[in-house]
Amino acid sequence: MGGGGPPGFRFSVKLPRAITHEGRLQDAARPLGCFINLIRHLEDRLGALLVQLPPSLIFDAEIASAFFRQLRDVFEGPVVCEPRHPTWFEVEPDELLRCNQIARVRADPARVPEAADPGGWTQLAYWRLHGSPRMYYSDYGAEFLASLASKVSASASSEIWCVFDNTASGAALGNALTLSEQLVGMLILPLGGYRC
């Protein structure tokens, strides 16, 4: 696929709702295989794969284990999971994510306090910022972005992503550029060493 975008630019791709929300991670082998075959066309532009779970999806060890095994059978790249039900923020699901080399998203706003903290596999850090206090609309202020820059720069993960999802009022681009400038200004990470 090659061209387009700056050197090192990659896409973070979200699994379809048909797999995560409608199928609720069950009977996923075929749709996972089809979807992964489609996104392989991104080639070297393919970055982290996001598995966002519905807020009502309770952790079930058998279902989750089978799903992550099926996912890892067809995709070896970086994977992050954004669980939203409180049952996913306990020892067993965290260990399951770690064993499958899947990081847990650090979300804002956090539906449960633990959702703001890292979890799962620690070699990948992935912030997903939906806008707060009004999801998808709110612009993040200078104080929040400065604090976020400190957290990102302090991360020991080998791959770092920060995705702004507060797009409804157009705030995401400005927030991403501000964060990027702060990180480059801190001389902590080389330009291109993180993803916004």
Side-chain angles (χ1 to χ4, degrees), residues 19 69 74 104 114 142 161-162 188 196:
I19 296 172
R69 188 171 50 252
V74 294
R104 191 179 71 222
E114 296 84 1
W161 286 76
C162 187
I188 301 294
C196 286

Side-chain angles (χ1 to χ4, degrees), residues 149-174:
S150 295
K151 291 174 184 174
V152 169
S153 67
S155 175
S157 300
S158 56
E159 185 170 349
I160 299 170
W161 286 76
C162 187
V163 176
F164 288 91
D165 189 26
N166 52 339
T167 56
S169 64
L173 180 58

Side-chain angles (χ1 to χ4, degrees), residues 20-138:
T20 56
H21 290 56
E22 295 160 24
R24 301 177 74 79
L25 309 183
Q26 298 184 66
D27 302 317
R30 186 165 182 239
L32 271 174
C34 291
F35 181 71
I36 298 302
N37 282 337
L38 286 174
I39 65 173
R40 284 195 203 286
H41 293 289
L42 291 171
E43 297 175 358
D44 62 341
R45 299 294 192 180
L46 178 56
L49 182 65
L50 170 65
V51 181
Q52 185 191 53
L53 302 179
S56 62
L57 187 63
I58 295 170
F59 176 73
D60 179 299
E62 186 176 341
I63 291 171
S65 296
F67 173 77
F68 290 129
R69 188 171 50 252
Q70 291 166 350
L71 175 58
R72 281 309 190 191
D73 283 346
V74 294
F75 187 72
E76 297 177 358
V79 178
V80 293
C81 182
E82 184 179 13
R84 294 185 283 174
H85 192 277
T87 57
W88 282 83
F89 297 90
E90 296 173 4
V91 173
E92 186 178 8
D94 198 60
E95 183 61 26
L96 177 64
L97 292 174
R98 189 170 21 262
C99 288
N100 285 281
Q101 295 188 344
I102 297 171
R104 191 179 71 222
V105 165
R106 302 174 199 203
D108 183 80
R111 289 181 178 263
V112 298
E114 296 84 1
D117 299 327
W121 193 53
T122 59
Q123 291 306 303
L124 173 62
Y126 192 108
W127 279 265
R128 194 148 189 259
L129 304 153
H130 299 286
S132 181
R134 187 176 180 206
M135 284 184 72
Y136 312 119
Y137 287 87
S138 291

